[in-house]
């Protein structure tokens, strides 16, 4: 009988140890979830800031490039006014011919 009660005592002790380990594991998982949530929140805000900065840079680039192209076009028209008039007339004729059909 002593072996039977010894086995029962060991089983109860093992069950308590497993219960304590599961409780500790739940606590650790809860802390891990909080940590991951915090990291994801920080990265999300950093990502949003990076995207906004990227859009700002793209906007400035397009504005600079557009102004540069506009200045080049104006300079080209000023240097070759007859060619510009001829191209405009040709484009007008082409659009007119296409709209008849």
């Amino acid at each position: 009988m002593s072996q039977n009660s010894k086995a029962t005592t060991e089983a109860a002790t093992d069950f308590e140890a497993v219960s304590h380990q599961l409780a500790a594991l739940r606590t650790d998982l809860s802390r891990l979830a909080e940590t991951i949530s915090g990291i994801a929140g920080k990265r999300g805000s950093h990502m949003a800031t990076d995207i906004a900065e990227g859009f700002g840079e793209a906007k400035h680039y397009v504005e600079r490039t557009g102004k540069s192209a506009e200045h080049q076009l104006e300079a080209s028209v000023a240097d070759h006014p007859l060619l510009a008039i001829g191209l405009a007339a040709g484009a007008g004729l082409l659009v007119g011919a296409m709209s008849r059909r």
Side-chain angles (χ1 to χ4, degrees):
M1 291 285 256
S2 70
Q3 275 192 338
N4 194 12
S5 83
K6 184 178 179 184
T8 304
T9 305
E10 286 178 8
T13 305
D14 289 344
F15 180 76
E16 287 177 24
V18 169
S19 295
H20 289 297
Q21 289 176 352
L22 285 174
L25 182 61
R26 283 187 195 113
T27 303
D28 290 345
L29 286 174
S30 175
R31 288 181 188 155
L32 179 62
E34 290 173 5
T35 302
I36 289 172
S37 175
I39 290 171
K42 288 178 186 175
R43 285 193 179 174
S45 66
H46 289 303
M47 203 180 316
T49 302
D50 290 345
I51 289 170
E53 288 175 0
F55 279 133
E57 289 176 13
K59 179 183 171 188
H60 292 303
Y61 174 76
V62 168
E63 287 174 353
R64 282 189 310 242
T65 305
K67 287 180 182 177
S68 175
E70 182 181 352
H71 291 299
Q72 288 177 353
L73 181 62
E74 288 176 358
S76 178
V77 169
D79 289 343
H80 310 288
L82 294 178
L83 179 62
I85 291 172
L87 287 174
L93 288 174
L94 182 63
V95 170
M98 291 177 66
S99 66
R100 285 186 185 177
R101 292 180 185 186

